[in-house]
Amino acid sequence: FVPGEAGTCKSRLLKDFSRCQDLRGALILRGYPLSEECGDHVGYEMILQALKQWFGIPEHERGKSAQKKILAQLGAHPGWEEMAPFFFHLLGLGNLPSVPGRDMDQYQVSSDLVAFFCKLAQQNLLILCFEDLQWADQSSLSFIERLAKYLGQHRERVLICGTFRSREVEGN
């Protein structure tokens, strides 16, 4: 994680790092807060940004075209199509069918996301870059912490990078 004040080129450092020749073939996904004011209104905001990038969904795309992109991307990986309803729900594109004994609480969403990112890492090195963590919603921060703890116990090919303004997170 890269701390620093505004204007100290933290974001540029991440961009330059992601262009490094040694990282060719790595899957690099970025997440960022949509605005300083977003707070916890959206939930998993930074993670959703990274997912939309992987699915090839522009920020304001919705509906059937976004669903088709999710299905196409998951369909390129045998057996992954079964995750489509989860991503439709998470990205606000549809409701999950009711499954007895399976709630979509924060813990379950986080568990499913950890499993998904680890699946991605089985194919290529996965680098998750999160910018401006000082403005991140609590669910994104909790997920990043959970993923980091999981990675500390398992050998997965995932690197988590992040930037934040150190003065804005002091005491947090």
Side-chain angles (χ1 to χ4, degrees):
F1 290 91
V2 182
E5 297 313 309
T8 57
C9 298
K10 300 177 299 295
S11 295
R12 168 129 189 205
L13 178 66
L14 280 186
K15 286 178 187 166
D16 289 349
F17 169 72
S18 67
R19 291 184 190 129
C20 179
Q21 291 296 318
D22 292 338
L23 298 177
R24 273 184 282 165
L27 175 58
I28 302 171
L29 300 176
R30 300 184 184 286
Y32 49 89
L34 295 175
S35 73
E36 296 175 43
E37 295 81 30
C38 276
D40 276 333
H41 299 295
V42 178
Y44 295 101
E45 182 179 289
M46 298 181 97
I47 312 312
L48 297 181
Q49 295 296 319
L51 288 171
K52 285 179 180 180
Q53 181 186 347
W54 187 73
F55 287 122
I57 301 172
E59 182 55 39
H60 298 289
E61 186 171 349
R62 301 275 186 262
K64 295 284 185 201
S65 62
Q67 287 180 341
K68 285 180 183 178
K69 289 180 180 180
I70 291 171
L71 290 171
Q73 186 70 300
L74 292 174
H77 307 276
W80 288 23
E81 301 91 352
E82 66 190 32
M83 294 185 282
F86 169 71
F87 289 114
F88 291 169
H89 176 73
L90 196 61
L91 295 169
L93 301 171
N95 293 324
L96 267 178
S98 180
V99 178
R102 182 172 162 97
D103 272 341
M104 285 307 293
D105 61 9
Q106 291 272 46
Y107 183 83
Q108 188 61 54
V109 170
S110 185
S111 295
D112 289 350
L113 287 170
V114 166
F116 174 73
F117 283 122
C118 289
K119 276 186 174 189
L120 281 180
Q122 290 173 358
Q123 299 181 352
N124 293 350
L125 170 64
L126 174 61
I127 301 173
L128 298 172
C129 297
F130 300 107
E131 296 190 39
D132 293 322
L133 286 165
Q134 74 276 3
W135 293 321
D137 59 281
Q138 188 57 50
S139 52
S140 289
L141 292 174
S142 295
F143 170 75
I144 293 167
E145 180 181 12
R146 179 164 182 177
L147 180 60
K149 285 179 181 177
Y150 180 88
L151 295 173
Q153 298 171 355
H154 299 83
R155 298 182 64 95
E156 301 290 347
R157 298 171 20 154
V158 179
L159 174 64
I160 303 170
C161 304
T163 67
F164 63 94
R165 293 184 186 174
S166 47
R167 285 190 189 177
E168 296 187 36
V169 295
E170 287 177 5
N172 291 333

